[in-house]
Amino acid sequence: KGLVLKEKARAAELLQDLAETPDEKVCIFDVFSEPPSINWWHMAMPQGKRNYNICKAMLKLLAIIVVVQVLIVLPFAQYIVLPYSKIGSSAGGMKMQIAGIILGNVNMFLSLQSCI
């Protein structure tokens, strides 16, 4: 667990209180500016737990990317782009506009998912 103090004097007082419980480990860091966004959550997290969370998030993103590629991009390429390519023309018109909107929305949701 983490604790953020606004005054350094309060940290010394807290250390004296915690000195009575030697089985507790306390780390104090000087912070000169507020860390952005969710960095507050990770200040007092053990390194192993932080690394586990990073790996878990990377695997989650990779799984989302694979699912999007297999379920949306691959069928789009196979059934819309490839037939046009085989006859020597480029895909265009309403189908490409709709596909662009769908793929743009998928990219947006993928980006939002990575923030969660």
Side-chain angles (χ1 to χ4, degrees):
K1 296 185 179 190
L3 176 65
V4 178
L5 303 171
K6 292 184 179 182
E7 301 171 8
K8 222 173 193 179
R10 181 72 179 115
E13 188 180 316
L14 180 65
L15 276 178
Q16 288 177 352
D17 292 343
L18 289 173
E20 297 170 3
T21 56
D23 57 331
E24 295 289 328
K25 181 180 175 185
V26 177
C27 297
I28 294 181
F29 302 99
D30 285 333
V31 178
F32 297 107
S33 66
E34 292 185 12
S37 70
I38 63 171
N39 289 339
W40 284 110
W41 301 350
H42 305 290
M43 283 186 72
M45 186 178 294
Q47 185 70 29
K49 176 72 172 165
R50 187 178 310 135
N51 290 343
Y52 170 77
N53 287 346
I54 289 170
C55 290
K56 183 177 154 185
M58 288 173 52
L59 288 173
K60 183 179 177 182
L61 273 176
L62 184 63
I64 291 170
I65 290 169
V66 167
V67 167
V68 167
Q69 292 296 316
V70 169
L71 296 179
I72 295 175
V73 176
L74 182 64
F76 168 72
Q78 189 173 6
Y79 298 112
I80 295 176
V81 176
L82 200 57
Y84 284 102
S85 179
K86 285 181 181 176
I87 61 171
S89 69
S90 61
M94 187 61 71
K95 285 183 184 179
M96 290 305 290
Q97 289 176 355
I98 292 171
I101 291 169
I102 292 170
L103 289 175
N105 285 330
V106 167
N107 285 334
M108 177 189 65
F109 290 128
L110 181 61
S111 298
L112 290 175
Q113 183 66 31
S114 66
C115 296
I116 295 175

